[in-house]
Amino acid sequence: MPEKLFSLSEIDYANFWGTNDRMLDFVKLLFPKLKLVARGEMLKAIGNEEDIEHFGGKLQAMMTYYEKFGKLTENAVMQIMENGGSTPEAEMSDEILVHGRNGLLVKVRTHNQQRLVDAIRDNDVVFAIGPAGTGKTYTAVAMAVRALKNKEVRRIVLTRPAVEAGENLGFLPGDLRDKLDPYLQPLYDALRDMIPQQKLLSYWEDNTIEIAPLAFMRGRTLDNAFVILDEAQNATPSQLKMFLTRMGRNAKFVVTGDVTQIDLPRHQQSGLVQATQILNGIKGIDIIQLDHTDVVRHRLVTKIIQAYEKQEASPSSTNNKQYDHLS
């Protein structure tokens, strides 16, 4: 049976495979047709020639990733498996977006996240569209915090449609921020990663960081602000038009959403879908599509997304197809 030796002499192979060869065991699961035997700096692959060559390309991408980041993770391996033999991270700069709490360094982790960062730098309106776990909201918040810290804007405004409450938040207890908390938790989580708690509280108190339901944006003009509309797939066309026309001087607007998770009534078109159709190609507006290869959560999230995509693409699927142009 064909076999081939691969050398890992250029890297710290013991650290590369992790404690008790954990990463080696994980890689073996991904290549069930091959027998992989590691001995020191050498790795032997036994099996079909085509499978061995395919494995060789992936192994080289894993080593490239390790050389750049000093570690190999399951998420990185899964991205490598999905990206034709190369890992998106290997193409990224080492730029730190934000120095977060407790020494956290916020950086982009995938190629499309890098595209999103570049788009926000170069455009005043950016749509970030993709499934759960792709970092679209987290990256947008990081860019907003960075702009605030660099005094590029005077405030951050966070909003989203409260579809579950029909935009009628009056029956919920507490003040406005309390009413919106259940809907804005991902944004809060990101902010808490990046801004010390006391500083964050002071920002909320003086409205440097403002939380507002989408329905409350009507009639306003937002100057010198970094504004994020999250979960925009649940905004109606009129709501999204209203939101985008709030843009004032020296403002950045980022619209994030997942067009596979539309919670609007079946007869109601998503404003996000419509906006990306009619605004595509306008200078100063960019649309960034993220996909399962950008998932930075648990490795099973990627598989879950792929399974749903496969089901939705089947001829028997009865799902709403109004977002097909984005796939």
Side-chain angles (χ1 to χ4, degrees), residues 17 23-31 36 55 62 77:
W17 293 131
M23 291 308 303
L24 176 60
D25 293 338
F26 180 65
V27 170
K28 286 179 178 179
L29 292 174
L30 300 176
F31 293 92
L36 302 176
F55 169 74
M62 293 178 208
V77 172

Side-chain angles (χ1 to χ4, degrees), residues 136-142 144-145 156-160 180-195 200 204 209-212 227-231 254 256:
K136 55 190 183 294
T137 298
Y138 197 85
T139 303
V141 172
V145 172
I156 296 172
V157 179
L158 308 175
T159 185
R160 60 158 289 177
L180 285 170
D181 273 353
Y183 305 105
L184 290 159
Q185 199 58 48
L187 297 168
Y188 283 132
D189 291 342
L191 287 170
R192 291 188 180 106
D193 274 355
M194 301 173 200
I195 302 174
L200 187 56
W204 278 331
I209 296 180
E210 179 184 352
I211 311 295
V227 188
I228 299 173
L229 170 58
D230 195 34
E231 299 289 345
V254 178
T256 70

Side-chain angles (χ1 to χ4, degrees), residues 2 10 26 33-34 36-37 56 58 76 80 87 126 136 157 170 182 192 202 224-225 238 248-249 286 290:
E10 299 296 320
F26 180 65
K33 295 181 180 180
L34 293 178
L36 302 176
V37 182
K58 301 296 186 183
I80 290 168
T87 174
V126 176
K136 55 190 183 294
V157 179
R192 291 188 180 106
S202 70
N224 301 303
S238 62
R249 295 168 296 176
D286 203 356
L290 300 97

Side-chain angles (χ1 to χ4, degrees), residues 299-310:
R299 59 185 175 83
L300 283 178
V301 176
T302 297
K303 293 184 177 295
I304 290 167
I305 291 169
Q306 288 177 301
Y308 274 96
E309 287 177 347
K310 183 177 179 180

Side-chain angles (χ1 to χ4, degrees), residues 82-100:
E82 297 293 338
N83 280 280
S86 65
T87 174
E89 286 92 336
E91 302 171 8
M92 244 87 68
S93 69
D94 288 325
E95 179 186 9
I96 297 169
L97 300 182
V98 176
H99 291 267

Side-chain angles (χ1 to χ4, degrees), residues 145-204:
V145 172
R146 175 182 174 135
L148 184 64
K149 288 184 174 181
N150 291 343
K151 302 188 185 305
E152 296 167 10
V153 296
R154 294 178 185 170
R155 56 181 171 154
I156 296 172
V157 179
L158 308 175
T159 185
R160 60 158 289 177
V163 168
E164 297 85 350
E167 290 287 0
N168 180 14
L169 303 175
F171 67 91
L172 292 173
D175 60 19
L176 180 58
R177 212 179 79 217
D178 292 331
K179 296 174 191 291
L180 285 170
D181 273 353
Y183 305 105
L184 290 159
Q185 199 58 48
L187 297 168
Y188 283 132
D189 291 342
L191 287 170
R192 291 188 180 106
D193 274 355
M194 301 173 200
I195 302 174
Q197 183 66 21
Q198 286 303 119
K199 189 68 173 176
L200 187 56
L201 289 173
S202 70
Y203 280 157
W204 278 331

Side-chain angles (χ1 to χ4, degrees), residues 31 51-66 72 76-91 293:
F31 293 92
D51 292 333
I52 291 174
E53 289 305 309
H54 175 66
F55 169 74
K58 301 296 186 183
L59 178 62
Q60 183 58 55
M62 293 178 208
M63 290 192 290
T64 299
Y65 177 93
Y66 178 83
L72 186 66
V77 172
M78 290 305 299
Q79 289 182 40
I80 290 168
M81 294 297 294
E82 297 293 338
N83 280 280
S86 65
T87 174
E89 286 92 336
E91 302 171 8
T293 64

Side-chain angles (χ1 to χ4, degrees), residues 99-105 192-193:
H99 291 267
R101 298 177 60 191
N102 301 318
L104 175 68
L105 302 179
R192 291 188 180 106
D193 274 355

